[in-house]
Amino acid sequence: MRISRIPRRAVAAGAVLAVLLPLSACGDGDEGGSTDASGKIEGKITFQTWNLKANFKPYFEGLVDEFEKKYPGTEVHWVDQPGEGYADKISADAAAGTLPDVVNVSPDLVAPLAKAGIAMDLDKAAGKYEKEYLPGAWKSHQIPGTEGTYAFPWYLNTGPLFYNKRLFKDAGLDADKPPKTYDQLFDDALKLAKKSDGKVATLANVPTIEDFGRYGVPLMDKEGTGFSFNDAKGVELLTKYKELYDAKALDGQALTATPESTGKKFLTEAVAMNPGSALDLEKFKKDAPTLYKNIGITPQISSTGKDNMYVMGVMVNARTKQTPAAVAFAHFVTDAQHQMEFAKKVAIFPSTQGSLDDPYFTKQDGKEETRVRVAAAKSIKTAVNYTPVLFSEQMKVELRNAVARALQGKESPKEALDNAVKNCDRLLKTS
Amino acid sequence: MKSPTATKAASSDISTAGPAPKGLRPDGRGGRRIRRQLPTSPWLFAAPGLVIVAVFILYPFLSTLNNAFTDKRTLIPGEYVGLANFRELLHDDMFWIGLRNSTLYVLVVVPALVLLPLLLAMLVQKHIPGITFFRSAFYTPVVASIVVVGLIWVWMLDERGLVNAVLEAVGVGKVGFLSDQWLLLFSAMAVTVWKGLGYYMIIYLAALANVPRELHEAAAVDGAGAVRRFFSVTVPAVRSTMVLVGALSSVAAFKVFSEVYLMAGPTGGPAGEDTTLVMLVQRVGTGLTGRVGYASAISVVVFVVTVALMLLVLRADRKEDA
């Protein structure tokens, strides 16, 4: 064929189309697998976790080896992604059709994937395993408005609240009786701010959706069609926080704070209370020995009597070509034995039936870490995941901005929450 | 008898010198073929570059334009919605906040980045001992990572940071650089100027090197002082460079993201009041529930404004020339 006979424009157009057409197919994905997990467990699958390689590499490598040994003919490729931008990484992979077969997710991440048909319905594919897990944990990956369960529950977490006993004593408060409810917290915070002439704040972060939940505010209707945190109770909570902000009982930089910045403020004794986990004790001991000497540990502030619980799950990609192997591996990672092994390596709590009755979670040995663990394990039995699964990152920003407007006095708490609910409902409809 | 000329011509005739090379036939058809193939060759050489441009610039640009007229979301292809996204923009408070902040950024940062690096370049232009150290020092922020720069300034401007410690020591008291909406935005602008000074200083140094020394000397002989010489000699001589710096810095300022994001946090400052347009694109269009169509519409607005800014600056330059 003689190139010279082909019009140059046609050659150029062909070249551009040759490049662009394959790209335009991105996102179509492969409709792939089925929910039938009954076949032979074999083949190569990919397993993606979220910021776990740095600290738990031997555990996960052992887990993969054990699975491959148990099911000859299987091969698991483990990839670990950084925590920063994890949702963006998943969304890019999901849109490009390259999402791994088994993925570590939280309920708010699994919700859009389930709606888009990318998360496998485990009620259909692995319903027989449901009884192995705590009922609340299994339900945590059910999405209002859809039928099915879209991830195996993995570990649960809750955290105590740390407080600085010295700052409490200096303010004339009883350091052995830290606040337990929001009303007590508000009283103590105002006293602490007054006594320190506004130099010591009690909290460094604005209220989040979990705070509204723990205060007893109804967050969303049962059908998942609209938010309701602008009710009278929600307005009351925000009004109280405004009082704290005006009295400097809430840190001046709370409106732009991140978990990292609030942790630093607690470490430098600029604020008196901060949420954390048993892992933080080691950090205090190493980085802030003076603070460690005065550290107090108390359950989360809650006016409902139930703590907030964070849930982690393991999802199976609905488009996997190795459904039996992917479902088997996701179950393997989250079964009672492996959750227990993982719990002993890190301060998390298993979501499997009976695991929390293990002496590891019930017997005291005099160590502070054990005291925290036993107390947290006790509270987790009744804890609630207050973050609605349909509450996206964009919605969190809407609430946070509304809270900031109310605290600055630009809008009344009622106006701010009404606007936040209106915007969140609009986002809900378009998500 | 053949003339010597004819013999020379015959000996140089390729038809008598063995078989002709492929493509160079004595009937001349081969020559035409070479000429006809030549236009294809440059395209082949340019192909790798064109492919890169097509994949990484043309396709994303056309895709963004296309998406701006759809309700595409991260995991859902969406449908064409005409101008609905642009109509929604008109009623979106956050869009107007973003537009206000990005415009303000241009208005404050661009004049500073046009003038200050010129003054700095004039200072370090002089050949005095140790001047290389100062040139390098002023250029260091340019090569530093913006994340590192952002973190350093956050630590410095924190309520318990170095700047507030100094202000407290001199009796001014603490200033909420990172908690007040406007102070936060102006702090981010200061960081942008600080980081950009060295870059534009180098451009000005090159321009100043081309200003004839005789002009300054003549002006000095005529009794012009330093200020007069600056406005009458230096500024006209580097005017085209100032236009270039103005154009580059105005586009960069309108598209600012990193400095504000690092200092104001992912929410864009208190109540999102420090959000810029590019931050809004990132917030709205990313994540599993990202509204790609709506974010693309904002991107189109950013594109149109930046092109308009460039045209405005270049038009002003042309007017000056006329």
Side-chain angles (χ1 to χ4, degrees), chain B residues 17-37:
Chain B
K22 200 177 176 183
L24 289 172
R25 298 208 325 243
D27 59 3
R29 284 175 60 199
R32 280 202 300 277
R33 196 170 164 193
I34 289 171
R35 281 196 297 276
R36 275 158 59 180
Q37 281 185 352

Side-chain angles (χ1 to χ4, degrees), chain A residues 10-24:
Chain A
V11 173
V16 170
L17 285 175
V19 170
L20 299 186
L21 284 179
L23 284 173
S24 65

Side-chain angles (χ1 to χ4, degrees), chain A residues 40-57:
Chain A
K40 191 179 178 200
I41 297 168
E42 62 181 2
K44 189 176 175 181
I45 57 168
T46 305
F47 169 47
Q48 178 175 288
T49 54
W50 180 353
N51 206 21
L52 293 172
K53 201 166 212 165
N55 296 319
F56 309 107
K57 192 177 172 193

Side-chain angles (χ1 to χ4, degrees), chain B residues 192-240:
Chain B
T192 303
V193 172
W194 177 79
K195 191 167 171 18
L197 277 180
Y199 178 72
Y200 297 115
M201 177 193 79
I202 294 289
I203 295 177
Y204 277 125
L205 269 177
L208 287 172
N210 291 325
V211 180
R213 184 189 293 258
E214 297 78 32
L215 288 177
H216 279 283
E217 287 168 357
V221 169
D222 284 346
V227 175
R228 182 69 189 269
R229 285 207 305 277
F230 174 75
F231 284 108
S232 302
V233 179
T234 308
V235 170
V238 298
R239 193 174 58 79
S240 57

Side-chain angles (χ1 to χ4, degrees), chain A residues 130-160:
Chain A
E130 180 183 345
K131 58 185 180 301
E132 292 180 20
Y133 301 91
L134 296 169
W138 185 262
K139 279 182 190 162
S140 63
H141 290 96
Q142 292 175 348
I143 319 298
T146 60
E147 286 188 3
T149 304
Y150 293 94
F152 282 105
W154 196 10
Y155 55 85
L156 311 172
N157 212 342
T158 184

